[in-house]
Amino acid sequence: MNASADPLKLALLSSGAGYTTRGIEIWMDELAVHLPAELPVELWTGGPPPQVPRTTRRVWSLNRDHARIAGRSWSQRYTWEQLSMLPGLMVQLRRQGMTVAYTGDPVVAWHLKRFQKLHGAAVVFMNGMRLSPQWARHLDGVHLLAQPYLDAARLEVSAAEAERFFAVPHFADIARFRPATSAERAAARAEFQVPADAFVVLTVGPVGTVSGKRLEHLAREVAACPTAVLLHGGGEEEGAEGVRQQVQSALGNRARLLGRVPRERVNRLYQAADVYSLGSLAEPFSIAILEALASGLPVVHHTDAIMTWQTGPGGRAVSMEQPGAAGPVFQELASQQDRLNQLRQGARTLAESRYAPGPVCADLVAALRQVRRRS
């Protein structure tokens, strides 16, 4: 069925976009850049919209970091942010005649489906939070990020409900995130004040205890490699001060905590590194891992099935629960250039074959059209 017979007017909805630069918000911005130019797509954000080659619309939300709701837990603040956006969303979806509302915000998805008669759009939830298939099975479409998620969902819901689920991975901009030349690596290390001869372990994400990044554990493992420096970029969340103290205690001046790095400079972080790593015991589907793979960085991660699937021949799975397990891997990669180069090549090849924007976007658009036809 062609597009004219099956009109798809897509609204990308993100309550935190314009305020926050974490996984969901970055994904929405990247989609607005890379979806086919001929597709009617608008990016709707709770904060000031970014500069993207799409129609953008601000549908106001109360920023989860606003002083008015400070002191509440992260989940409570995120819920308030989403709820505050809902009235404007329902009005605008109806007014603009959007046929599909696509969001990674669970409270937004739930209530848009609940009040679907008021706005008329099919509701598609991008499950980047590992929420249960049982929770999402009533929605018009559920975007899962890896085939193992889809296999598991089909075991938990009925055959009719399973038709609403589809698996398409996130992508990485493989033109922007690419292996660095020697000159680019040297320049990036100078920019971030990293020793030129260090073995640089990069990690990206918030500092704190909410997101489960376990930066303090990673710091202790990096400390076991005498030539290694830990380079970190990311903002703060609850528990940041205690985590920072543990990192400094483990590494001293071998820890380089940069704070929040502007999105336009993030690719420079990857150019400064030798490997990428994270202490998380589970990740729904890390965009930072994809950017590392595209940059030709091996990824050292926990033995989580999704991360292992995600990194393929560019990853090294090791227990991040057992103290002292990851440290020898960093030492091995720091001392064995051939092995490091082999993993680098595997990382970049996987990014090009599985995570390039064009094919991923084509698969996603096909799935959204299917949702629209069915609904």
Side-chain angles (χ1 to χ4, degrees):
M1 187 177 292
N2 61 40
S4 61
D6 178 36
L8 177 62
K9 284 190 70 177
L10 177 63
L12 307 176
L13 315 178
S14 178
S15 66
Y19 296 130
T20 304
T21 52
R22 295 178 71 171
I24 292 174
E25 294 78 22
I26 291 172
W27 172 241
M28 291 298 180
D29 289 356
E30 292 293 321
L31 271 180
V33 172
H34 290 283
L35 282 172
E38 66 275 10
L39 187 69
V41 177
E42 295 188 7
L43 175 63
W44 297 6
T45 64
Q51 295 295 316
V52 295
R54 295 287 182 189
T55 299
T56 59
R57 193 178 304 276
R58 185 175 185 182
V59 183
W60 180 87
S61 71
L62 178 66
N63 181 11
R64 71 193 73 165
D65 294 324
H66 195 282
R68 192 181 305 172
I69 51 176
R72 298 178 182 272
S73 70
W74 182 89
S75 62
Q76 288 176 318
R77 289 184 282 116
Y78 181 35
T79 297
W80 275 107
E81 179 184 275
Q82 295 173 80
L83 288 172
S84 67
M85 193 186 194
L86 274 167
L89 283 178
M90 287 188 281
V91 170
Q92 290 297 330
L93 286 169
R94 171 67 71 182
R95 182 175 294 168
Q96 303 306 322
M98 309 309 284
T99 60
V100 174
Y102 174 92
T103 183
D105 298 318
V107 174
V108 167
W110 181 274
H111 288 289
L112 285 182
K113 182 61 180 177
R114 181 184 179 196
F115 296 108
Q116 194 167 37
K117 290 183 179 180
L118 297 180
H119 59 80
V123 179
V124 178
F125 174 57
M126 188 278 292
N127 190 359
M129 304 178 73
R130 277 188 163 177
L131 298 183
S132 164
Q134 295 286 342
W135 180 90
R137 62 184 179 172
H138 71 296
L139 300 173
D140 300 302
V142 184
H143 177 191
L144 304 177
L145 299 173
Q147 186 62 39
Y149 285 138
L150 184 58
D151 295 339
R154 286 169 172 163
L155 298 176
E156 294 187 37
V157 300
S158 70
E161 292 164 340
E163 293 181 358
R164 302 170 187 169
F165 292 74
F166 60 91
V168 178
H170 283 336
F171 60 75
D173 186 339
I174 61 173
R176 180 171 175 235
F177 295 94
R178 55 174 177 75
T181 65
S182 298
E184 287 170 334
R185 180 173 289 105
R189 291 189 174 197
E191 178 180 343
F192 296 115
Q193 301 178 26
V194 176
D197 59 347
F199 181 77
V200 180
V201 179
L202 171 67
T203 192
V204 174
V207 179
T209 55
V210 176
S211 57
K213 297 299 183 183
R214 301 179 71 243
L215 183 63
E216 69 283 0
H217 175 84
L218 180 60
R220 289 190 287 268
E221 297 302 310
V222 170
C225 180
T227 62
V229 168
L230 179 62
L231 179 63
H232 174 272
E236 294 187 353
E237 59 185 14
E238 295 169 30
E241 182 60 32
V243 171
R244 270 200 315 271
Q245 290 176 358
Q246 293 182 68
V247 171
Q248 293 293 340
S249 176
L251 284 168
N253 61 8
R254 289 199 286 143
R256 187 83 178 92
L257 305 184
L258 302 175
R260 192 181 301 278
V261 176
R263 181 64 184 162
E264 62 271 15
R265 293 178 62 206
V266 168
N267 62 315
R268 303 282 291 154
L269 278 177
Y270 295 99
Q271 291 179 343
D274 291 293
V275 302
Y276 186 86
S277 188
L278 65 169
S280 308
L281 301 182
E283 287 284 327
F285 203 82
S286 169
I287 291 177
I289 284 179
L290 298 186
E291 293 170 348
L293 294 171
S295 302
L297 297 183
V299 181
V300 180
H301 57 80
H302 185 55
T303 53
D304 170 70
I306 296 299
M307 283 192 280
T308 301
W309 184 90
Q310 186 179 2
T311 62
R316 280 290 301 272
V318 62
S319 174
M320 288 291 178
E321 289 183 295
Q322 180 182 346
V329 176
F330 294 131
Q331 294 184 61
E332 172 197 333
L333 296 178
S335 60
Q336 298 182 20
Q337 190 65 42
D338 288 347
R339 179 58 178 148
L340 184 63
N341 289 339
Q342 181 184 24
L343 287 170
R344 283 174 174 167
Q345 184 59 53
R348 178 63 185 182
T349 300
L350 181 65
E352 292 173 339
S353 62
R354 187 191 282 174
Y355 303 124
V360 171
C361 285
D363 289 344
L364 179 58
V365 170
L368 293 176
R369 289 196 186 283
Q370 180 65 25
V371 170
R372 170 61 184 157
R373 286 194 291 269
R374 188 171 54 246
S375 63

